[in-house]
Amino acid sequence: ALTDNILAFWLLTIGIHLTGYYIYYNGYWEEYPHLIGVTAPFPLFYGPFLYLYLIYSTRKSESLKLVDYLHFAPIVISYLYMTPFYFFYTADKKIQVDKGEIDDYGTFSTILLIGFIISGLSYAILSYRKLLQRKKMFLL
């Protein structure tokens, strides 16, 4: 079912994101610097997955609507913005950016952090409102 797929991708995303933290805290990013920043936009996945899971668990639909993919636009934009970092920075330069010695993505990191907060709060509120609407529908 669609909701099972949404949940599976959501949990996979969480697993990959947590693996990124594991790699970072164990010092593997210096050994494998091309992994630096790969999971940076991952928290932007959580809100849309929560919302879509909730929406489609209350609908009888077997596929996402085209408009549903727009929820993932900030993630796509983030990765597009970071494309030069991923493909054109040397391993040493990536390590320097990670350590803060080069501030090429400092402002972007701040914007991304604010985006995480706004996304998390917005999707939590939207999801809660949808649940309240659903509850009212069953009470009538």
Side-chain angles (χ1 to χ4, degrees):
L2 179 60
T3 53
D4 293 337
N5 290 334
I6 293 171
L7 183 60
F9 279 110
W10 188 6
L11 292 174
L12 178 66
T13 302
I14 291 169
I16 293 169
H17 192 210
L18 290 175
T19 301
Y21 281 116
Y22 175 80
I23 289 169
Y24 174 76
Y25 285 114
N26 285 310
Y28 291 121
W29 276 8
E30 290 198 18
E31 196 172 328
Y32 305 104
H34 294 293
L35 295 176
I36 294 173
V38 171
T39 61
F42 269 41
L44 292 173
F45 277 112
Y46 301 153
F49 278 137
L50 167 67
Y51 184 72
L52 292 173
Y53 181 77
L54 178 76
I55 292 297
Y56 284 98
S57 65
T58 60
R59 286 186 190 163
K60 300 255 187 225
S61 181
E62 289 302 316
S63 63
L64 292 174
K65 295 179 182 177
L66 193 56
V67 72
D68 292 330
Y69 293 100
L70 289 177
H71 292 283
F72 299 101
I75 299 155
V76 172
I77 292 167
S78 296
Y79 278 112
L80 288 174
Y81 185 81
M82 293 177 72
T83 297
F85 178 79
Y86 296 133
F87 295 107
F88 302 114
Y89 278 40
T90 64
D92 290 335
K93 196 168 179 184
K94 286 180 181 184
I95 292 170
Q96 290 175 323
V97 169
D98 184 49
K99 290 182 177 181
E101 296 169 4
I102 298 175
D103 193 27
D104 289 354
Y105 287 90
T107 303
F108 175 72
S109 295
T110 303
I111 292 169
L112 201 57
L113 178 61
I114 292 168
F116 298 159
I117 295 167
I118 291 170
S119 174
L121 290 173
S122 299
Y123 278 105
I125 291 168
L126 281 172
S127 298
Y128 183 70
R129 289 180 62 195
K130 285 290 182 186
L131 283 173
L132 287 178
Q133 287 174 358
R134 177 123 171 110
K135 184 178 179 181
K136 286 179 186 177
M137 187 172 69
F138 280 115
L139 292 176
L140 295 177

